[in-house]
Amino acid sequence: MKMEKISVGNINDFVEDSMTAFEIANRSVLVILQAGQFYALEDKCTHDNGILHDGELLDGAVKCERHGAKFNLTTGAGTMPAVKKLRIYQTEVVDGEVFVIYQEL
Ligand code: FES
């Protein structure tokens, strides 16, 4: 399985409670900084492909604006009407640079 570490910028490029969308390996990935921790999730709701960066960042979750599903930032688990987990990517900060660990499925 191919694994890549992809830089998404410097730690100072991100502000607290921000959601930033990136294209990584032809996939839309949402990078979130909350409480000093970086999260990376698929930027597409598993219910009906809502764009999550248009939604709302909650405490530990992102809410899809289309029908209100909420996805846990750590596990990707969703609430109704989403039944499928959201894909989650690992993140890493090395010398102030933020990486998303991308793994081909
Ligand atoms: S598309 Fe996200 S909750 Fe329906």
Side-chain angles (χ1 to χ4, degrees):
M1 201 186 305
K2 200 172 140 202
M3 195 166 105
E4 270 183 85
K5 267 168 74 163
I6 294 155
S7 172
V8 290
N10 189 275
I11 198 167
N12 297 318
D13 299 335
F14 297 86
V15 293
E16 259 304 312
D17 288 323
S18 64
M19 302 202 284
T20 314
F22 292 91
E23 279 295 313
I24 295 177
N26 292 323
R27 301 191 80 96
S28 302
V29 176
L30 181 60
V31 175
I32 292 171
L33 174 61
Q34 187 171 69
Q37 174 71 46
F38 283 94
Y39 302 90
L41 311 91
E42 194 88 31
D43 193 8
K44 194 161 61 167
C45 180
T46 61
H47 174 239
D48 192 25
N49 299 332
I51 305 300
L52 292 176
H53 74 252
D54 288 340
E56 192 183 343
L57 182 59
L58 308 172
D59 189 15
V62 59
K63 182 178 172 186
C64 179
E65 67 157 8
R66 287 194 53 211
H67 314 102
K70 295 175 198 156
F71 295 94
N72 183 291
L73 300 184
T74 306
T75 66
T79 62
M80 292 300 275
V83 288
K84 208 174 147 217
K85 262 188 177 184
L86 195 64
R87 185 172 176 189
I88 295 292
Y89 302 90
Q90 298 301 311
T91 60
E92 202 175 294
V93 178
V94 180
D95 294 333
E97 195 168 356
V98 184
F99 294 91
V100 170
I101 319 271
Y102 177 79
Q103 227 171 351
E104 261 178 28
L105 291 179

